Amino acid sequence: MTTKKTSQARHGFKTMESVVYPSHGVGQIVAIEEQNIAGHTLELFVISFEKDKMTLRVPVAKVTSAGMRKLSEGDVVGKALDTLTGRARVKKTMWSRRAQEYEAKINSGDLIAIAEVVRDLFRADTQPEQSYSERQLYESALDRMTREVAAVQKLIDSEAQKVIEAQLAKGPRRGRAEEVEAEVEAEAPAQEEAA
């Protein structure tokens, strides 16, 4: 396997640019290189995920199908932050099914979908504790959102997390009665669609 460095830009992406890779979050393109693998020459984006201490090589030809994208624009970040102030929409389905849906939203790379997961799984100090798996999904979604908000608004992660937490605090008070109400509201459209 031989490696040789190539140009500074491909498919609208350039080196030292921050990008979002759906299943890993925000990373930085550190190089665009060619590698000769089994007699085939592949052009690859080399993406570094500093916080995870991981490097990913993505074939240039697979960028679109992998879902790699540029950072969200400021207005998309604004919509995602506004999403956090809304009422939690929790479906009344089995947790395993909801967990799969949340995981799919987190790995979609869509900032607004990730914000919905953060909003739906957020628990105020006055609320009952989350289960371990709920907490894991919440922290994963919060981490993804924090990194992208930080990169777009040029903040450090802790500042971005404070911005997100401030938005969550603006949301409606959440208690058991509100959760039941949210579940009933979420069920109504599903029942109408089935009819």
Side-chain angles (χ1 to χ4, degrees), residues 105-119:
K105 282 184 175 185
I106 292 167
N107 289 328
S108 72
D110 178 7
L111 187 60
I112 294 173
I114 294 169
E116 290 171 358
V117 175
V118 171
R119 176 198 65 204

Side-chain angles (χ1 to χ4, degrees), residues 120-125 127-130 134 138 174 179:
D120 293 350
L121 292 178
F122 172 72
R123 293 281 185 272
D125 294 336
Q127 289 180 274
E129 284 289 312
Q130 291 175 308
E134 277 182 308
Y138 171 74
R174 297 181 178 153
E179 284 179 16

Side-chain angles (χ1 to χ4, degrees), residues 67-81:
M68 190 170 100
R69 65 173 173 81
K70 293 181 177 286
L71 291 175
S72 297
E73 297 291 324
D75 61 330
V76 175
V77 171
K79 285 179 188 174
L81 290 171

Side-chain angles (χ1 to χ4, degrees), residues 84-97:
L84 298 176
T85 61
R87 183 182 298 272
R89 292 184 178 90
V90 180
K91 294 180 185 173
K92 195 173 183 177
T93 58
M94 290 179 54
W95 167 247
S96 60
R97 179 85 173 135

